[in-house]
Amino acid sequence: MATNGSGSGTALGNDETGGTRGTTVIADSVVATIAGIAVRETDGIYSLGGGATRAVGAMKDKVSRSNDPGRGVKVEVGERQTAIDVDIVVEYGTLILEAAKKIRIHVTDAVETMTGLEVVEINIKVLDVHVPGADDGDEEKEAPEKARRVQ
């Protein structure tokens, strides 16, 4: 699959009346952004992408002072259809199968409405379960305490 950062896309040329007045190209990154936003709006989703993806993305966010809504999403865009792969981390207690159904509904609605492309498949990979209080930020707070006990 093409990654969300590729410059490829699809050219849509014919309008509904059958006439051609030019082409519209939808980049893969556009579909990835739309899908990423739709996934984040789904209840029970903590974040997108794996640990390495989130770490690299966090560094990019700090440097560029923006966040990438397409992080953790890969797409393949054809002439009239698209396929989407999503890597997610769910919140503890979330019914994963229900969350997956909601993701597929939200992403399909958003992508098809905004782009006119048919979503043929959405593959969801659940990479982790987030447990409240187990954030990386909490671990950093604990480190100085451990250092004090060792001295």
Side-chain angles (χ1 to χ4, degrees):
M1 295 205 133
T3 61
N4 61 4
S6 74
S8 63
T10 183
L12 306 172
N14 293 332
D15 63 16
E16 291 181 8
T17 61
T20 302
R21 297 180 186 232
T23 59
T24 302
V25 176
I26 300 174
D28 292 2
S29 61
V30 171
V31 176
T33 297
I34 294 167
I37 292 169
V39 171
R40 282 178 176 81
E41 292 176 346
T42 305
D43 292 336
I45 304 306
Y46 177 72
S47 66
L48 274 77
T53 303
R54 289 194 317 262
V56 170
M59 291 301 293
K60 283 174 54 178
D61 292 349
K62 287 180 183 179
V63 171
S64 67
R65 294 188 180 169
S66 67
N67 58 9
D68 179 10
R71 183 183 318 129
V73 180
K74 295 176 186 165
V75 301
E76 183 178 331
V77 179
E79 290 183 24
R80 289 182 230 114
Q81 298 176 326
T82 186
I84 302 168
D85 293 338
V86 182
D87 295 342
I88 63 169
V89 176
V90 298
E91 295 174 353
Y92 178 78
T94 298
L95 300 176
I96 295 173
L97 294 179
E98 289 299 315
K101 287 178 188 176
K102 290 177 184 178
I103 287 170
R104 287 187 175 96
I105 291 167
H106 290 147
V107 170
T108 300
D109 289 348
V111 171
E112 289 184 351
T113 299
M114 293 183 70
T115 67
L117 295 168
E118 177 189 5
V119 177
V120 293
E121 70 179 18
I122 300 172
N123 299 310
I124 300 167
K125 185 187 295 183
V126 181
L127 300 176
D128 202 357
V129 175
H130 174 258
V131 179
D135 283 337
D136 293 337
D138 292 342
E139 292 173 10
E140 291 174 10
K141 292 176 186 175
E142 292 174 11
E145 291 176 16
K146 289 180 183 176
R148 279 187 243 135
R149 288 193 287 172
V150 174
Q151 293 178 347

